[in-house]
Amino acid sequence: TLSNPNLPASFPKPPTPVVVAMIRIDGEIRTFTYRNLVERMNEAVKGGANIIVIEIDTYGGELPAALDISKHIKGVNVATVAWVNPNAYSAGSLIAAI
């Protein structure tokens, strides 16, 4: 068998049932983007989502807004996944890297 010392011995099991919410961020990252994302993530969690996929397509934007978005994503009590489709430059790469 193949083994990779960089991978954990076992992966955590996904929650049951899996409820995925998809949230798209596109265009310039601004304060509005942050407020809108917070609202949509809160709605997703209230709706029962236990995994949130954030689809990103941006060439960047305001650094303070990107930092606020990153902090918010880190503080949400559900699993999050960044999906770059197709661009995440500058502020977008910061958000995707969290």
Side-chain angles (χ1 to χ4, degrees), residues 64-90:
L67 292 172
D68 288 342
I69 290 169
S70 297
K71 288 176 191 173
H72 181 74
I73 292 170
K74 286 181 187 179
V76 174
N77 197 23
V78 298
T80 57
V81 177
W83 173 30
V84 176
N85 183 29
N87 301 298
Y89 295 101
S90 189

Side-chain angles (χ1 to χ4, degrees), residues 6-94:
N6 297 321
L7 295 177
S10 64
F11 292 95
K13 291 183 179 182
T16 306
V18 175
V19 180
V20 179
M22 183 83 116
I23 298 174
R24 183 169 170 81
I25 296 176
D26 59 354
E28 187 176 353
I29 304 298
R30 303 175 58 115
T31 302
F32 169 80
T33 313
Y34 164 69
R35 290 192 304 256
N36 186 266
L37 179 74
V38 168
E39 183 179 319
R40 291 186 291 159
M41 288 183 78
N42 288 340
E43 287 178 21
V45 172
K46 286 180 188 173
N50 47 30
I51 298 174
I52 297 175
V53 176
I54 302 170
E55 182 180 4
I56 302 170
D57 183 14
T58 181
Y59 287 100
E62 300 171 358
L63 178 60
L67 292 172
D68 288 342
I69 290 169
S70 297
K71 288 176 191 173
H72 181 74
I73 292 170
K74 286 181 187 179
V76 174
N77 197 23
V78 298
T80 57
V81 177
W83 173 30
V84 176
N85 183 29
N87 301 298
Y89 295 101
S90 189
S93 63
L94 177 77

